[in-house]
Amino acid sequence: KAGVTQTPRYLIKTRGQQVTLSCSPISGHRSVSWYQQTPGQGLQFLFEYFSETQRNKGNFPGRFSGRQFSNSRSEMNVSTLELGDSALYLCASSLVYPSGGIQETQYFGPGTRLLVL
Amino acid sequence: KNEVEQSPQNLTAQEGEFITINCSYSVGISALHWLQQHPGGGIVSLFMLSSGKKKHGRLIATINIQEKHSSLHITASHPRDSAVYICAVGLKAAGNKLTFGGGTRVLVKP
């Protein structure tokens, strides 16, 4: 099976712009989670989607949003970019819904490295 | 205080040495994950534990639920084990969303 894919891999934007990142999960996986990794804050949970519904959300401002499509592919959007949004954005997929009480191994994509100038 | 604490932050070992990384957490969890991140960013899930011990090749992970502590051991370390190892817990009180430790940077010298 193909692994989790993320596009684009690298992105440079300027402050105030918006960006959309895409994640394609492993075939058959219905849960997609997004994470932000920065040198200062480490890895932080952004949100999780299962069957097109956001099931869980981290402590990020409303500028960060996401969605999941019927084929389980997911996108996240960051509007009005700030310098502090520069980070590696990772998505991970799992077979079932982790927040449903069942812990499943998460399979991570290679990440999208976003630089905001 | 962070909900997940890892130690040490950095570790240098000679090839062949036994390595231990520790993870302590302060809240109720549904499971604990050990992740490996190589330079370039890719993350691989090594183990998911809710009790006891798991072994995969030269890697062993243990968890003590009562003491809220987990360890990741690398036996007969090799330079290819050089990576950042990250502990993450699924928080029961937060819908099992993952909360991460700060990571342990491991360098194995030949």
Side-chain angles (χ1 to χ4, degrees), chain A residues 14-37:
Chain A
T14 56
R15 276 181 299 173
Q17 287 187 308
Q18 74 157 15
V19 67
T20 299
L21 311 181
S22 180
C23 172
S24 293
I26 291 171
S27 177
H29 285 195
R30 296 171 64 190
S31 173
V32 174
S33 299
W34 287 91
Y35 303 94
Q36 181 197 64
Q37 187 176 35

mmCIF file with all atom_site columns, all heavy atoms in Angstrom, chain A residues 14-37:
data_model
loop_
_atom_site.group_PDB
_atom_site.id
_atom_site.type_symbol
_atom_site.label_atom_id
_atom_site.label_alt_id
_atom_site.label_comp_id
_atom_site.label_asym_id
_atom_site.label_entity_id
_atom_site.label_seq_id
_atom_site.pdbx_PDB_ins_code
_atom_site.Cartn_x
_atom_site.Cartn_y
_atom_site.Cartn_z
_atom_site.occupancy
_atom_site.B_iso_or_equiv
_atom_site.pdbx_formal_charge
_atom_site.auth_seq_id
_atom_site.auth_comp_id
_atom_site.auth_asym_id
_atom_site.auth_atom_id
_atom_site.pdbx_PDB_model_num
ATOM 1   N N   . THR A 1 14 ? 4.119   34.758 2.165  1.00 0.00 ? 14 THR A N   1
ATOM 2   C CA  . THR A 1 14 ? 4.381   35.991 2.895  1.00 0.00 ? 14 THR A CA  1
ATOM 3   C C   . THR A 1 14 ? 3.255   36.239 3.891  1.00 0.00 ? 14 THR A C   1
ATOM 4   O O   . THR A 1 14 ? 2.146   35.694 3.757  1.00 0.00 ? 14 THR A O   1
ATOM 5   C CB  . THR A 1 14 ? 4.531   37.186 1.948  1.00 0.00 ? 14 THR A CB  1
ATOM 6   O OG1 . THR A 1 14 ? 3.351   37.277 1.137  1.00 0.00 ? 14 THR A OG1 1
ATOM 7   C CG2 . THR A 1 14 ? 5.741   37.030 1.049  1.00 0.00 ? 14 THR A CG2 1
ATOM 8   N N   . ARG A 1 15 ? 3.571   37.049 4.875  1.00 0.00 ? 15 ARG A N   1
ATOM 9   C CA  . ARG A 1 15 ? 2.594   37.378 5.913  1.00 0.00 ? 15 ARG A CA  1
ATOM 10  C C   . ARG A 1 15 ? 1.295   37.888 5.298  1.00 0.00 ? 15 ARG A C   1
ATOM 11  O O   . ARG A 1 15 ? 1.315   38.660 4.347  1.00 0.00 ? 15 ARG A O   1
ATOM 12  C CB  . ARG A 1 15 ? 3.159   38.448 6.842  1.00 0.00 ? 15 ARG A CB  1
ATOM 13  C CG  . ARG A 1 15 ? 4.033   37.921 7.936  1.00 0.00 ? 15 ARG A CG  1
ATOM 14  C CD  . ARG A 1 15 ? 4.530   39.021 8.832  1.00 0.00 ? 15 ARG A CD  1
ATOM 15  N NE  . ARG A 1 15 ? 5.323   39.997 8.097  1.00 0.00 ? 15 ARG A NE  1
ATOM 16  C CZ  . ARG A 1 15 ? 5.773   41.122 8.598  1.00 0.00 ? 15 ARG A CZ  1
ATOM 17  N NH1 . ARG A 1 15 ? 5.503   41.442 9.853  1.00 0.00 ? 15 ARG A NH1 1
ATOM 18  N NH2 . ARG A 1 15 ? 6.486   41.943 7.881  1.00 0.00 ? 15 ARG A NH2 1
ATOM 19  N N   . GLY A 1 16 ? 0.191   37.466 5.861  1.00 0.00 ? 16 GLY A N   1
ATOM 20  C CA  . GLY A 1 16 ? -1.106  37.904 5.389  1.00 0.00 ? 16 GLY A CA  1
ATOM 21  C C   . GLY A 1 16 ? -1.734  37.005 4.329  1.00 0.00 ? 16 GLY A C   1
ATOM 22  O O   . GLY A 1 16 ? -2.952  37.058 4.115  1.00 0.00 ? 16 GLY A O   1
ATOM 23  N N   . GLN A 1 17 ? -0.898  36.197 3.672  1.00 0.00 ? 17 GLN A N   1
ATOM 24  C CA  . GLN A 1 17 ? -1.449  35.284 2.670  1.00 0.00 ? 17 GLN A CA  1
ATOM 25  C C   . GLN A 1 17 ? -2.131  34.104 3.354  1.00 0.00 ? 17 GLN A C   1
ATOM 26  O O   . GLN A 1 17 ? -2.085  33.949 4.573  1.00 0.00 ? 17 GLN A O   1
ATOM 27  C CB  . GLN A 1 17 ? -0.330  34.766 1.755  1.00 0.00 ? 17 GLN A CB  1
ATOM 28  C CG  . GLN A 1 17 ? 0.193   35.783 0.772  1.00 0.00 ? 17 GLN A CG  1
ATOM 29  C CD  . GLN A 1 17 ? 1.163   35.166 -0.215 1.00 0.00 ? 17 GLN A CD  1
ATOM 30  O OE1 . GLN A 1 17 ? 2.139   34.492 0.162  1.00 0.00 ? 17 GLN A OE1 1
ATOM 31  N NE2 . GLN A 1 17 ? 0.938   35.401 -1.510 1.00 0.00 ? 17 GLN A NE2 1
ATOM 32  N N   . GLN A 1 18 ? -2.778  33.283 2.545  1.00 0.00 ? 18 GLN A N   1
ATOM 33  C CA  . GLN A 1 18 ? -3.367  32.061 3.072  1.00 0.00 ? 18 GLN A CA  1
ATOM 34  C C   . GLN A 1 18 ? -2.740  30.877 2.348  1.00 0.00 ? 18 GLN A C   1
ATOM 35  O O   . GLN A 1 18 ? -2.150  31.023 1.267  1.00 0.00 ? 18 GLN A O   1
ATOM 36  C CB  . GLN A 1 18 ? -4.883  32.051 2.906  1.00 0.00 ? 18 GLN A CB  1
ATOM 37  C CG  . GLN A 1 18 ? -5.364  31.812 1.495  1.00 0.00 ? 18 GLN A CG  1
ATOM 38  C CD  . GLN A 1 18 ? -6.794  31.271 1.466  1.00 0.00 ? 18 GLN A CD  1
ATOM 39  O OE1 . GLN A 1 18 ? -7.522  31.324 2.458  1.00 0.00 ? 18 GLN A OE1 1
ATOM 40  N NE2 . GLN A 1 18 ? -7.214  30.751 0.349  1.00 0.00 ? 18 GLN A NE2 1
ATOM 41  N N   . VAL A 1 19 ? -2.866  29.705 2.956  1.00 0.00 ? 19 VAL A N   1
ATOM 42  C CA  . VAL A 1 19 ? -2.251  28.525 2.380  1.00 0.00 ? 19 VAL A CA  1
ATOM 43  C C   . VAL A 1 19 ? -3.164  27.315 2.604  1.00 0.00 ? 19 VAL A C   1
ATOM 44  O O   . VAL A 1 19 ? -3.882  27.250 3.608  1.00 0.00 ? 19 VAL A O   1
ATOM 45  C CB  . VAL A 1 19 ? -0.859  28.277 3.001  1.00 0.00 ? 19 VAL A CB  1
ATOM 46  C CG1 . VAL A 1 19 ? -0.966  27.902 4.487  1.00 0.00 ? 19 VAL A CG1 1
ATOM 47  C CG2 . VAL A 1 19 ? -0.094  27.215 2.247  1.00 0.00 ? 19 VAL A CG2 1
ATOM 48  N N   . THR A 1 20 ? -3.150  26.420 1.652  1.00 0.00 ? 20 THR A N   1
ATOM 49  C CA  . THR A 1 20 ? -3.898  25.157 1.773  1.00 0.00 ? 20 THR A CA  1
ATOM 50  C C   . THR A 1 20 ? -2.942  24.008 1.575  1.00 0.00 ? 20 THR A C   1
ATOM 51  O O   . THR A 1 20 ? -2.196  23.966 0.588  1.00 0.00 ? 20 THR A O   1
ATOM 52  C CB  . THR A 1 20 ? -5.027  25.076 0.722  1.00 0.00 ? 20 THR A CB  1
ATOM 53  O OG1 . THR A 1 20 ? -5.944  26.152 0.934  1.00 0.00 ? 20 THR A OG1 1
ATOM 54  C CG2 . THR A 1 20 ? -5.771  23.754 0.854  1.00 0.00 ? 20 THR A CG2 1
ATOM 55  N N   . LEU A 1 21 ? -2.943  23.092 2.527  1.00 0.00 ? 21 LEU A N   1
ATOM 56  C CA  . LEU A 1 21 ? -2.098  21.909 2.479  1.00 0.00 ? 21 LEU A CA  1
ATOM 57  C C   . LEU A 1 21 ? -2.991  20.685 2.303  1.00 0.00 ? 21 LEU A C   1
ATOM 58  O O   . LEU A 1 21 ? -4.107  20.644 2.837  1.00 0.00 ? 21 LEU A O   1
ATOM 59  C CB  . LEU A 1 21 ? -1.284  21.772 3.766  1.00 0.00 ? 21 LEU A CB  1
ATOM 60  C CG  . LEU A 1 21 ? -0.538  23.026 4.243  1.00 0.00 ? 21 LEU A CG  1
ATOM 61  C CD1 . LEU A 1 21 ? 0.233   22.709 5.523  1.00 0.00 ? 21 LEU A CD1 1
ATOM 62  C CD2 . LEU A 1 21 ? 0.379   23.561 3.180  1.00 0.00 ? 21 LEU A CD2 1
ATOM 63  N N   . SER A 1 22 ? -2.476  19.696 1.594  1.00 0.00 ? 22 SER A N   1
ATOM 64  C CA  . SER A 1 22 ? -3.283  18.515 1.290  1.00 0.00 ? 22 SER A CA  1
ATOM 65  C C   . SER A 1 22 ? -2.647  17.251 1.849  1.00 0.00 ? 22 SER A C   1
ATOM 66  O O   . SER A 1 22 ? -1.417  17.133 1.905  1.00 0.00 ? 22 SER A O   1
ATOM 67  C CB  . SER A 1 22 ? -3.444  18.387 -0.225 1.00 0.00 ? 22 SER A CB  1
ATOM 68  O OG  . SER A 1 22 ? -4.214  17.266 -0.559 1.00 0.00 ? 22 SER A OG  1
ATOM 69  N N   . CYS A 1 23 ? -3.498  16.322 2.247  1.00 0.00 ? 23 CYS A N   1
ATOM 70  C CA  . CYS A 1 23 ? -3.037  15.053 2.790  1.00 0.00 ? 23 CYS A CA  1
ATOM 71  C C   . CYS A 1 23 ? -3.897  13.926 2.229  1.00 0.00 ? 23 CYS A C   1
ATOM 72  O O   . CYS A 1 23 ? -5.127  13.966 2.320  1.00 0.00 ? 23 CYS A O   1
ATOM 73  C CB  . CYS A 1 23 ? -3.144  15.080 4.313  1.00 0.00 ? 23 CYS A CB  1
ATOM 74  S SG  . CYS A 1 23 ? -2.832  13.490 5.120  1.00 0.00 ? 23 CYS A SG  1
ATOM 75  N N   . SER A 1 24 ? -3.245  12.924 1.662  1.00 0.00 ? 24 SER A N   1
ATOM 76  C CA  . SER A 1 24 ? -3.953  11.724 1.208  1.00 0.00 ? 24 SER A CA  1
ATOM 77  C C   . SER A 1 24 ? -3.574  10.567 2.114  1.00 0.00 ? 24 SER A C   1
ATOM 78  O O   . SER A 1 24 ? -2.400  10.188 2.171  1.00 0.00 ? 24 SER A O   1
ATOM 79  C CB  . SER A 1 24 ? -3.598  11.400 -0.246 1.00 0.00 ? 24 SER A CB  1
ATOM 80  O OG  . SER A 1 24 ? -4.082  12.389 -1.116 1.00 0.00 ? 24 SER A OG  1
ATOM 81  N N   . PRO A 1 25 ? -4.533  9.999  2.829  1.00 0.00 ? 25 PRO A N   1
ATOM 82  C CA  . PRO A 1 25 ? -4.210  8.922  3.781  1.00 0.00 ? 25 PRO A CA  1
ATOM 83  C C   . PRO A 1 25 ? -3.953  7.611  3.066  1.00 0.00 ? 25 PRO A C   1
ATOM 84  O O   . PRO A 1 25 ? -4.197  7.488  1.861  1.00 0.00 ? 25 PRO A O   1
ATOM 85  C CB  . PRO A 1 25 ? -5.476  8.833  4.635  1.00 0.00 ? 25 PRO A CB  1
ATOM 86  C CG  . PRO A 1 25 ? -6.575  9.263  3.720  1.00 0.00 ? 25 PRO A CG  1
ATOM 87  C CD  . PRO A 1 25 ? -5.966  10.314 2.825  1.00 0.00 ? 25 PRO A CD  1
ATOM 88  N N   . ILE A 1 26 ? -3.488  6.662  3.846  1.00 0.00 ? 26 ILE A N   1
ATOM 89  C CA  . ILE A 1 26 ? -3.336  5.306  3.333  1.00 0.00 ? 26 ILE A CA  1
ATOM 90  C C   . ILE A 1 26 ? -4.710  4.782  2.920  1.00 0.00 ? 26 ILE A C   1
ATOM 91  O O   . ILE A 1 26 ? -5.706  5.042  3.614  1.00 0.00 ? 26 ILE A O   1
ATOM 92  C CB  . ILE A 1 26 ? -2.693  4.401  4.396  1.00 0.00 ? 26 ILE A CB  1
ATOM 93  C CG1 . ILE A 1 26 ? -1.237  4.802  4.602  1.00 0.00 ? 26 ILE A CG1 1
ATOM 94  C CG2 . ILE A 1 26 ? -2.793  2.927  4.025  1.00 0.00 ? 26 ILE A CG2 1
ATOM 95  C CD1 . ILE A 1 26 ? -0.560  4.114  5.771  1.00 0.00 ? 26 ILE A CD1 1
ATOM 96  N N   . SER A 1 27 ? -4.761  4.060  1.819  1.00 0.00 ? 27 SER A N   1
ATOM 97  C CA  . SER A 1 27 ? -6.024  3.544  1.324  1.00 0.00 ? 27 SER A CA  1
ATOM 98  C C   . SER A 1 27 ? -6.737  2.733  2.403  1.00 0.00 ? 27 SER A C   1
ATOM 99  O O   . SER A 1 27 ? -6.144  1.845  3.038  1.00 0.00 ? 27 SER A O   1
ATOM 100 C CB  . SER A 1 27 ? -5.759  2.657  0.099  1.00 0.00 ? 27 SER A CB  1
ATOM 101 O OG  . SER A 1 27 ? -6.964  2.087  -0.370 1.00 0.00 ? 27 SER A OG  1
ATOM 102 N N   . GLY A 1 28 ? -8.000  3.068  2.645  1.00 0.00 ? 28 GLY A N   1
ATOM 103 C CA  . GLY A 1 28 ? -8.769  2.358  3.665  1.00 0.00 ? 28 GLY A CA  1
ATOM 104 C C   . GLY A 1 28 ? -8.776  3.037  5.017  1.00 0.00 ? 28 GLY A C   1
ATOM 105 O O   . GLY A 1 28 ? -9.604  2.712  5.875  1.00 0.00 ? 28 GLY A O   1
ATOM 106 N N   . HIS A 1 29 ? -7.841  3.952  5.233  1.00 0.00 ? 29 HIS A N   1
ATOM 107 C CA  . HIS A 1 29 ? -7.822  4.689  6.496  1.00 0.00 ? 29 HIS A CA  1
ATOM 108 C C   . HIS A 1 29 ? -8.843  5.806  6.438  1.00 0.00 ? 29 HIS A C   1
ATOM 109 O O   . HIS A 1 29 ? -8.909  6.564  5.474  1.00 0.00 ? 29 HIS A O   1
ATOM 110 C CB  . HIS A 1 29 ? -6.428  5.275  6.750  1.00 0.00 ? 29 HIS A CB  1
ATOM 111 C CG  . HIS A 1 29 ? -5.425  4.273  7.193  1.00 0.00 ? 29 HIS A CG  1
ATOM 112 N ND1 . HIS A 1 29 ? -4.211  4.625  7.754  1.00 0.00 ? 29 HIS A ND1 1
ATOM 113 C CD2 . HIS A 1 29 ? -5.451  2.919  7.192  1.00 0.00 ? 29 HIS A CD2 1
ATOM 114 C CE1 . HIS A 1 29 ? -3.540  3.529  8.052  1.00 0.00 ? 29 HIS A CE1 1
ATOM 115 N NE2 . HIS A 1 29 ? -4.262  2.484  7.713  1.00 0.00 ? 29 HIS A NE2 1
ATOM 116 N N   . ARG A 1 30 ? -9.625  5.930  7.508  1.00 0.00 ? 30 ARG A N   1
ATOM 117 C CA  . ARG A 1 30 ? -10.691 6.919  7.518  1.00 0.00 ? 30 ARG A CA  1
ATOM 118 C C   . ARG A 1 30 ? -10.420 8.087  8.460  1.00 0.00 ? 30 ARG A C   1
ATOM 119 O O   . ARG A 1 30 ? -11.150 9.056  8.465  1.00 0.00 ? 30 ARG A O   1
ATOM 120 C CB  . ARG A 1 30 ? -12.011 6.243  7.887  1.00 0.00 ? 30 ARG A CB  1
ATOM 121 C CG  . ARG A 1 30 ? -12.453 5.207  6.856  1.00 0.00 ? 30 ARG A CG  1
ATOM 122 C CD  . ARG A 1 30 ? -13.626 4.404  7.348  1.00 0.00 ? 30 ARG A CD  1
ATOM 123 N NE  . ARG A 1 30 ? -14.799 5.226  7.551  1.00 0.00 ? 30 ARG A NE  1
ATOM 124 C CZ  . ARG A 1 30 ? -15.906 4.799  8.157  1.00 0.00 ? 30 ARG A CZ  1
ATOM 125 N NH1 . ARG A 1 30 ? -15.953 3.580  8.639  1.00 0.00 ? 30 ARG A NH1 1
ATOM 126 N NH2 . ARG A 1 30 ? -16.938 5.604  8.299  1.00 0.00 ? 30 ARG A NH2 1
ATOM 127 N N   . SER A 1 31 ? -9.388  7.955  9.280  1.00 0.00 ? 31 SER A N   1
ATOM 128 C CA  . SER A 1 31 ? -9.075  9.012  10.232 1.00 0.00 ? 31 SER A CA  1
ATOM 129 C C   . SER A 1 31 ? -7.811  9.748  9.795  1.00 0.00 ? 31 SER A C   1
ATOM 130 O O   . SER A 1 31 ? -6.809  9.116  9.452  1.00 0.00 ? 31 SER A O   1
ATOM 131 C CB  . SER A 1 31 ? -8.867  8.411  11.629 1.00 0.00 ? 31 SER A CB  1
ATOM 132 O OG  . SER A 1 31 ? -8.413  9.399  12.515 1.00 0.00 ? 31 SER A OG  1
ATOM 133 N N   . VAL A 1 32 ? -7.881  11.060 9.801  1.00 0.00 ? 32 VAL A N   1
ATOM 134 C CA  . VAL A 1 32 ? -6.716  11.890 9.471  1.00 0.00 ? 32 VAL A CA  1
ATOM 135 C C   . VAL A 1 32 ? -6.533  12.924 10.574 1.00 0.00 ? 32 VAL A C   1
ATOM 136 O O   . VAL A 1 32 ? -7.481  13.614 10.951 1.00 0.00 ? 32 VAL A O   1
ATOM 137 C CB  . VAL A 1 32 ? -6.898  12.605 8.114  1.00 0.00 ? 32 VAL A CB  1
ATOM 138 C CG1 . VAL A 1 32 ? -5.748  13.578 7.876  1.00 0.00 ? 32 VAL A CG1 1
ATOM 139 C CG2 . VAL A 1 32 ? -6.967  11.594 6.974  1.00 0.00 ? 32 VAL A CG2 1
ATOM 140 N N   . SER A 1 33 ? -5.320  13.003 11.079 1.00 0.00 ? 33 SER A N   1
ATOM 141 C CA  . SER A 1 33 ? -4.970  14.003 12.087 1.00 0.00 ? 33 SER A CA  1
ATOM 142 C C   . SER A 1 33 ? -3.888  14.918 11.535 1.00 0.00 ? 33 SER A C   1
ATOM 143 O O   . SER A 1 33 ? -3.049  14.483 10.744 1.00 0.00 ? 33 SER A O   1
ATOM 144 C CB  . SER A 1 33 ? -4.454  13.330 13.368 1.00 0.00 ? 33 SER A CB  1
ATOM 145 O OG  . SER A 1 33 ? -5.440  12.505 13.936 1.00 0.00 ? 33 SER A OG  1
ATOM 146 N N   . TRP A 1 34 ? -3.910  16.150 11.967 1.00 0.00 ? 34 TRP A N   1
ATOM 147 C CA  . TRP A 1 34 ? -2.906  17.139 11.549 1.00 0.00 ? 34 TRP A CA  1
ATOM 148 C C   . TRP A 1 34 ? -2.131  17.619 12.763 1.00 0.00 ? 34 TRP A C   1
ATOM 149 O O   . TRP A 1 34 ? -2.703  17.823 13.847 1.00 0.00 ? 34 TRP A O   1
ATOM 150 C CB  . TRP A 1 34 ? -3.601  18.336 10.889 1.00 0.00 ? 34 TRP A CB  1
ATOM 151 C CG  . TRP A 1 34 ? -4.140  18.072 9.522  1.00 0.00 ? 34 TRP A CG  1
ATOM 152 C CD1 . TRP A 1 34 ? -5.385  17.628 9.194  1.00 0.00 ? 34 TRP A CD1 1
ATOM 153 C CD2 . TRP A 1 34 ? -3.454  18.256 8.281  1.00 0.00 ? 34 TRP A CD2 1
ATOM 154 N NE1 . TRP A 1 34 ? -5.518  17.523 7.829  1.00 0.00 ? 34 TRP A NE1 1
ATOM 155 C CE2 . TRP A 1 34 ? -4.354  17.901 7.242  1.00 0.00 ? 34 TRP A CE2 1
ATOM 156 C CE3 . TRP A 1 34 ? -2.170  18.699 7.933  1.00 0.00 ? 34 TRP A CE3 1
ATOM 157 C CZ2 . TRP A 1 34 ? -4.013  17.972 5.894  1.00 0.00 ? 34 TRP A CZ2 1
ATOM 158 C CZ3 . TRP A 1 34 ? -1.823  18.768 6.584  1.00 0.00 ? 34 TRP A CZ3 1
ATOM 159 C CH2 . TRP A 1 34 ? -2.745  18.414 5.587  1.00 0.00 ? 34 TRP A CH2 1
ATOM 160 N N   . TYR A 1 35 ? -0.832  17.849 12.551 1.00 0.00 ? 35 TYR A N   1
ATOM 161 C CA  . TYR A 1 35 ? 0.049   18.305 13.607 1.00 0.00 ? 35 TYR A CA  1
ATOM 162 C C   . TYR A 1 35 ? 0.957   19.412 13.074 1.00 0.00 ? 35 TYR A C   1
ATOM 163 O O   . TYR A 1 35 ? 1.307   19.432 11.887 1.00 0.00 ? 35 TYR A O   1
ATOM 164 C CB  . TYR A 1 35 ? 0.930   17.154 14.120 1.00 0.00 ? 35 TYR A CB  1
ATOM 165 C CG  . TYR A 1 35 ? 0.153   15.967 14.624 1.00 0.00 ? 35 TYR A CG  1
ATOM 166 C CD1 . TYR A 1 35 ? -0.133  14.891 13.784 1.00 0.00 ? 35 TYR A CD1 1
ATOM 167 C CD2 . TYR A 1 35 ? -0.312  15.935 15.935 1.00 0.00 ? 35 TYR A CD2 1
ATOM 168 C CE1 . TYR A 1 35 ? -0.866  13.806 14.239 1.00 0.00 ? 35 TYR A CE1 1
ATOM 169 C CE2 . TYR A 1 35 ? -1.038  14.841 16.395 1.00 0.00 ? 35 TYR A CE2 1
ATOM 170 C CZ  . TYR A 1 35 ? -1.306  13.793 15.536 1.00 0.00 ? 35 TYR A CZ  1
ATOM 171 O OH  . TYR A 1 35 ? -2.030  12.718 15.997 1.00 0.00 ? 35 TYR A OH  1
ATOM 172 N N   . GLN A 1 36 ? 1.343   20.300 13.994 1.00 0.00 ? 36 GLN A N   1
ATOM 173 C CA  . GLN A 1 36 ? 2.317   21.345 13.676 1.00 0.00 ? 36 GLN A CA  1
ATOM 174 C C   . GLN A 1 36 ? 3.577   21.085 14.483 1.00 0.00 ? 36 GLN A C   1
ATOM 175 O O   . GLN A 1 36 ? 3.499   20.777 15.671 1.00 0.00 ? 36 GLN A O   1
ATOM 176 C CB  . GLN A 1 36 ? 1.759   22.725 14.047 1.00 0.00 ? 36 GLN A CB  1
ATOM 177 C CG  . GLN A 1 36 ? 2.698   23.878 13.723 1.00 0.00 ? 36 GLN A CG  1
ATOM 178 C CD  . GLN A 1 36 ? 2.325   25.160 14.454 1.00 0.00 ? 36 GLN A CD  1
ATOM 179 O OE1 . GLN A 1 36 ? 2.364   25.222 15.675 1.00 0.00 ? 36 GLN A OE1 1
ATOM 180 N NE2 . GLN A 1 36 ? 1.964   26.187 13.690 1.00 0.00 ? 36 GLN A NE2 1
ATOM 181 N N   . GLN A 1 37 ? 4.718   21.179 13.843 1.00 0.00 ? 37 GLN A N   1
ATOM 182 C CA  . GLN A 1 37 ? 5.986   21.003 14.559 1.00 0.00 ? 37 GLN A CA  1
ATOM 183 C C   . GLN A 1 37 ? 6.857   22.223 14.352 1.00 0.00 ? 37 GLN A C   1
ATOM 184 O O   . GLN A 1 37 ? 7.187   22.592 13.211 1.00 0.00 ? 37 GLN A O   1
ATOM 185 C CB  . GLN A 1 37 ? 6.730   19.754 14.083 1.00 0.00 ? 37 GLN A CB  1
ATOM 186 C CG  . GLN A 1 37 ? 7.972   19.454 14.913 1.00 0.00 ? 37 GLN A CG  1
ATOM 187 C CD  . GLN A 1 37 ? 8.659   18.172 14.501 1.00 0.00 ? 37 GLN A CD  1
ATOM 188 O OE1 . GLN A 1 37 ? 8.695   17.822 13.326 1.00 0.00 ? 37 GLN A OE1 1
ATOM 189 N NE2 . GLN A 1 37 ? 9.211   17.441 15.465 1.00 0.00 ? 37 GLN A NE2 1
#
